[in-house]
Amino acid sequence: MSFTLLYAEDEENDALFLEIALARDTVGVALHVVGDGKRAVAWLAGDSDYADRSKYPLPDLILLDLNLPLRSGLEVLAWIRTAAGLGGRPVVLLSSSGRESDRRAAERLGADLYLVKPVSGDQLGSVVRELGRRWFPDRLKLT
Amino acid sequence: MKHVPPAWIRVTAFVVSVGTMGWLHLVAFPDTVVVLTYALPLLLCLSLRDRPLLAAMSGSFLAMTWYKSFYLLPPATGGWGHLAMQAANIAIVTAAVYRAFDLADRVDAERARLEMANGDLAAHEEELGQQNEELQQQTEELQQQAEELRQQAEELHRQAEERDALNFELTGREDLLRSLLDALPERVDERVLLERICTTLLTMTGGSSGVSAAVMERQGDDLVVRALVGASRHSQRLRFQASFSSIVMREKRAAAIHDLAERPDLDVPELHGARVRAALAAPLCWGNEPRGAVALYSATPRTWTADDFRVIEWVATKCSLVMELRRLHERLSSSNADLERLVHERTAALSATVEDLEHFSYTITHDMRAPLRAMTGFARMLIDDQGDLSDARRQDFLLRIATAAGRMDRLILDALDYSRAIRSELPLERVDTHRLLIGMIGSYPELESSRRHIHLADALPWVCANEAGLTQCFSNLLSNAIKFVDPARPLRVVIRAETRGKIARIWFEDDGIGVPPEMTGRLFGLFQRASRTYDGTGLGLALVKKVAERMGGRVGFESEPGVGSRFWLEFPRAEP
């Protein structure tokens, strides 16, 4: 059974970078991408469009971009922490900037990890390895 | 003083006496005892008071007696008996006369002493008389001096009274000046200050009953009583033109009426329901203009003194000065408050701008890093490719790099527009929105293909805004209206206006995709994009909001997803 990762990201390229990095550095990790915060919440809540859990499974790890359309990453995080059945699920915030106030807000809302996106998209592999070490070490390819 | 007879008298007396007695005793009656004794010529010596003559005569007579007793008289009658008797007679008389001489001398001496004493007394008396005279002169002088002193004392007393009066007036002036100085700051209520002035005026002019003091100020056609002391009831408002104060204000000097019964034409205050009978007033001037008057009113006819004039003129001068200072102080305080408010507003605006810029720089950094990350990432992957990537994949990466670069360019341009909108001056002016929109729709290249789908209402209002700013707002709203559309439905944009009082609201209505409800609160925020389906930087509406607000306007929208949106801009209306 694969490790499921839900990535809420409006930057299509960043999602592609992560997908490439996962494919390159891991085995058995399924990535699902949604383009905005509203869809992320809908997916996690299993709303009508996402009710089919075989197709839209509850993720083992949730990655949230900070600046998401419709509902921001912090709003989605806050919702997750109060949602029944999701409270303890690991959530990682990804941001383009390392602004301290954002980091503190994420920690206050209960983010498990706050990561700054690398300058170059191809370096997202470092993010994948960081996530892998903490949540899916057995899925990392040996380098 | 001892009397000594001249020598010839003494010799004559001696010769006559001795001759006579000799002749009698020795010639005429040699042998008888002559009755006429020697005592008589000796007694003569009393008148002459000559001791040598007495001694000479006594001796002569003793010699003659001796000669007669022993040589002429018979022994029976003569001899020692006769000599003894005659000698005793001569001796007694001589002794008596001698004694008389002593007494006479003593009397003379006493007299002389008395005379001397009298002389001394007379001299003393004369001296006393002189002294008395001097004393009298001195007394007269003293009396004169006393009179002068009395006059001087009276003069001093008069001067003291004058000085007391002046002191009283000076004290009054000092009290008033102190009150006025205390009252210069605005913490003292102006009515309280004016009442103090009235009280001082009443005190300094004698404070008699039936007299009241008032300060009045012109307000349009009225003369309003600002303060009153000395009467509990008083008219509060007079007709300015008919007032006595208007006369002193026009003449710019103090004036008095001793009996107002002679001037029934004047509108004068009523005290306790009765028209006042006498008035004394002086003008109050500040800002070089007569603004009011300070007045004394008497319930009975009264003759105003020169002192009254002097005091009221002085009080009016000081009152004018203080009023002018207070007005200046008020203006200064108001200017200070305006300045503080302005500084506060500018500081707030500056803080808001700085905050905007900080937020802007943060978000733009955040948003610009995405295309940069994409460009760098894909470029590196292409560089690092060792033949693993398919041609299609490489093509896709190159396309993504080009797209990211284009997006980066738009972001930079929009960011420049936004930062300019934050900083640039937008002076307000009257703008004809109808003419502006017709011009834009007719000339903007990006609207060219959609021009026939944009419907402009017949009349759009003039507003108070900035034409360049309005152009920016209209342009962005129109761009959005023709961009966020459902390709399956025909494009239709309507621009119309409505007025709400002094406000004009211009609507931009479209049949586009609408705005998701989640975006309602953040649609005008920086880099907020409701959809990734449509190209955009998320700065357009933020720019509209910023520019509209900087021009004193507002922006808003109503929307129904899938049906359309109605964006509006509001500005104060302006006259065409």
Side-chain angles (χ1 to χ4, degrees):
Chain A
M1 192 169 173
S2 63
F3 186 88
T4 311
L5 208 156
L6 178 65
Y7 185 21
E9 175 60 80
D10 62 324
E11 287 292 338
E12 193 189 335
N13 292 327
D14 285 345
L16 180 57
F17 285 131
L18 192 78
E19 185 186 335
I20 291 170
L22 280 172
R24 188 183 61 212
D25 298 337
T26 65
V27 175
V29 175
L31 175 68
H32 300 277
V33 178
V34 287
D36 59 60
K38 187 180 174 186
R39 282 199 178 90
V41 170
W43 182 300
L44 293 169
D47 283 351
S48 54
D49 286 350
Y50 301 93
D52 184 359
R53 283 298 181 203
S54 62
K55 198 175 173 186
Y56 307 107
L58 271 177
D60 298 305
L61 174 65
I62 303 160
L63 287 181
L64 298 171
D65 181 36
L66 193 69
N67 289 328
L68 285 171
L70 304 183
R71 296 186 79 167
S72 75
L74 291 175
E75 287 174 336
V76 177
L77 170 60
W79 177 85
I80 290 169
R81 291 300 177 228
T82 56
L86 291 172
R89 216 155 283 254
V91 179
V92 175
L93 262 289
L94 281 173
S95 169
S96 292
S97 80
R99 195 163 73 164
E100 198 53 38
S101 58
D102 288 340
R103 186 186 294 274
R104 280 201 299 272
E107 285 170 0
R108 198 166 50 245
L109 287 170
D112 294 274
L113 191 61
Y114 183 95
L115 291 175
V116 179
K117 291 178 185 174
V119 178
S120 179
D122 65 317
Q123 293 168 351
L124 239 69
S126 62
V127 171
V128 169
R129 281 190 293 279
E130 173 73 24
L131 298 177
R133 271 195 294 276
R134 289 189 62 166
W135 286 287
F136 48 90
D138 53 329
R139 313 279 169 145
L140 283 175
K141 286 182 183 172
L142 294 173
T143 54
Chain B
M1 192 177 170
K2 190 175 177 182
H3 177 71
V4 180
W8 65 272
I9 293 177
R10 293 159 68 190
V11 173
T12 306
F14 178 77
V15 172
V16 168
S17 297
V18 173
T20 304
M21 292 310 288
W23 176 77
L24 281 173
H25 282 271
L26 301 178
V27 179
F29 305 100
D31 50 357
T32 57
V33 177
V34 179
V35 178
L36 188 61
T37 67
Y38 301 109
L40 283 175
L42 287 174
L43 287 173
L44 182 66
C45 288
L46 277 175
S47 62
L48 294 175
R49 286 172 55 192
D50 190 352
R51 281 187 176 81
L53 178 65
L54 179 63
M57 284 173 67
S58 299
S60 301
F61 291 155
L62 278 175
M64 281 189 293
T65 303
W66 172 79
Y67 180 77
K68 189 175 180 178
S69 299
F70 290 102
Y71 297 101
L72 297 175
L73 284 174
T77 57
W80 293 101
H82 178 265
L83 179 60
M85 188 180 62
Q86 287 297 320
N89 191 16
I90 291 167
I92 289 167
V93 172
T94 300
V97 171
Y98 194 86
R99 177 67 186 159
F101 280 7
D102 278 350
L103 287 172
D105 285 347
R106 286 174 64 184
V107 167
D108 285 345
E110 191 64 26
R111 183 183 296 134
R113 197 181 57 77
L114 282 171
E115 280 174 357
M116 194 180 296
N118 277 341
D120 288 347
L121 278 172
H124 196 59
E125 192 175 359
E126 191 176 350
E127 195 178 341
L128 281 173
Q130 285 175 354
Q131 286 178 353
N132 197 23
E133 207 169 316
E134 285 172 8
L135 276 173
Q136 200 161 359
Q137 284 176 357
Q138 287 174 356
T139 305
E140 284 173 2
E141 283 173 8
L142 283 172
Q143 281 176 345
Q144 200 174 345
Q145 286 173 357
E147 178 66 15
E148 284 173 5
L149 282 172
R150 193 183 58 74
Q151 286 176 357
Q152 285 174 359
E154 280 179 2
E155 179 71 14
L156 283 172
H157 185 64
R158 194 177 54 74
Q159 286 176 356
E161 282 181 344
E162 282 177 5
R163 193 193 59 222
D164 285 348
L166 281 173
N167 272 344
F168 178 71
E169 190 176 325
L170 280 174
T171 306
R173 288 184 181 205
E174 190 184 335
D175 287 347
L176 182 60
L177 285 176
R178 193 175 297 119
S179 297
L180 298 180
L181 283 174
D182 288 347
L184 277 180
E186 286 176 335
R187 63 174 179 271
V188 176
D189 181 60
E190 189 163 289
R191 186 181 183 85
V192 173
L193 165 68
L194 296 176
E195 283 176 353
R196 277 188 208 162
I197 290 171
C198 290
T199 305
T200 307
L201 178 60
L202 279 178
T203 309
M204 290 176 71
T205 51
S208 51
S209 63
V211 178
S212 61
V215 173
M216 289 156 293
E217 185 178 353
R218 182 180 183 178
Q219 285 182 1
D221 293 334
D222 289 341
L223 192 66
V224 178
V225 176
R226 301 286 310 283
L228 171 74
V229 173
S232 54
R233 285 198 299 128
H234 188 295
S235 320
Q236 289 300 314
R237 203 173 268 270
L238 302 170
R239 286 176 295 123
F240 174 73
Q241 288 302 338
S243 70
F244 177 51
S245 296
S246 73
I247 297 173
V248 296
M249 286 168 69
R250 195 165 52 242
E251 299 293 326
K252 292 187 179 177
R253 63 180 176 84
I257 294 183
H258 304 306
D259 190 354
L260 278 159
E262 297 166 4
R263 292 295 302 271
D265 56 310
L266 289 178
D267 189 9
V268 293
E270 290 187 350
L271 292 177
H272 307 294
R275 189 178 145 93
V276 298
R277 290 297 300 275
L280 169 63
L284 294 177
C285 302
W286 55 88
N288 290 326
E289 288 292 326
R291 309 284 185 169
V294 55
L296 281 168
Y297 292 112
S298 172
T300 56
R302 170 173 172 145
T303 302
W304 303 100
T305 66
D307 277 349
D308 293 337
F309 269 79
R310 194 163 47 76
V311 167
I312 202 168
E313 280 174 341
W314 183 84
V315 167
T317 310
K318 298 300 168 282
C319 183
S320 298
L321 187 65
V322 167
M323 296 298 276
E324 177 147 31
L325 282 173
R326 280 182 71 100
R327 296 295 184 276
L328 287 173
H329 193 262
E330 283 168 10
R331 279 170 56 194
L332 191 66
S333 300
S334 169
S335 298
N336 279 344
D338 286 348
L339 199 63
E340 275 179 22
R341 187 175 45 74
L342 198 63
V343 168
H344 192 260
E345 284 173 5
R346 290 270 168 91
T347 308
L350 200 62
S351 300
T353 305
V354 169
E355 205 170 300
D356 280 350
L357 282 171
E358 279 178 358
H359 180 57
F360 175 71
S361 61
Y362 162 70
T363 43
I364 197 163
T365 305
H366 193 276
D367 268 50
M368 278 184 174
R369 292 188 81 176
L372 267 179
R373 190 166 51 246
M375 286 188 283
T376 320
F378 290 123
R380 280 192 180 283
M381 287 163 87
L382 287 170
I383 292 166
D384 295 344
D385 177 38
Q386 294 176 349
D388 298 336
L389 296 173
S390 66
D391 287 347
R393 199 74 196 253
R394 277 203 296 271
Q395 192 66 29
D396 179 47
F397 284 2
L398 287 169
L399 188 64
R400 285 175 186 271
I401 289 172
T403 307
R407 190 174 155 216
M408 186 81 174
D409 183 53
R410 280 195 303 282
L411 267 171
I412 289 170
L413 291 176
D414 281 2
L416 280 174
D417 279 348
Y418 186 83
S419 66
R420 198 179 301 124
I422 286 177
R423 287 179 290 105
S424 64
E425 289 295 320
L426 295 170
L428 297 183
E429 57 196 339
R430 291 164 51 251
V431 182
D432 182 354
T433 57
H434 196 261
R435 181 192 58 76
L436 181 63
L437 279 163
I438 285 177
M440 287 175 65
I441 295 165
S443 63
Y444 271 40
E446 60 267 35
L447 299 178
E448 189 176 356
S449 60
S450 317
R451 196 166 290 150
R452 61 195 174 85
H453 303 295
I454 301 174
H455 305 282
L456 192 63
D458 287 341
L460 292 174
W462 285 67
V463 296
C464 179
N466 176 273
E467 187 161 325
L470 270 189
T471 305
Q472 181 89 63
C473 294
F474 290 170
S475 169
N476 286 14
L477 289 179
L478 280 171
S479 296
N480 283 356
I482 61 175
K483 181 165 69 177
F484 296 104
V485 293
D486 183 349
R489 286 189 291 152
L491 171 67
R492 183 174 172 273
V493 178
V494 176
I495 304 172
R496 60 182 185 81
E498 63 178 302
T499 54
R500 300 177 175 195
K502 293 178 178 176
I503 301 294
R505 178 177 278 196
I506 301 164
W507 290 92
F508 296 79
E509 302 172 348
D510 64 60
D511 295 342
I513 58 168
V515 179
E518 293 82 4
M519 291 300 291
T520 300
R522 64 179 82 175
L523 191 64
F524 294 100
L526 283 171
F527 301 106
Q528 295 297 330
R529 297 171 65 194
S531 169
R532 292 296 185 269
T533 312
Y534 298 85
D535 197 19
T537 58
L539 277 167
L541 286 176
L543 186 63
V544 170
K545 178 177 166 65
K546 178 59 68 179
V547 173
E549 286 177 351
R550 290 199 61 210
M551 293 189 294
R554 294 198 308 150
V555 64
F557 76 99
E558 296 170 0
S559 182
E560 192 175 337
V563 176
S565 302
R566 301 169 75 226
F567 282 83
W568 53 261
L569 281 166
E570 267 186 4
F571 292 100
R573 287 171 63 193
E575 290 300 314

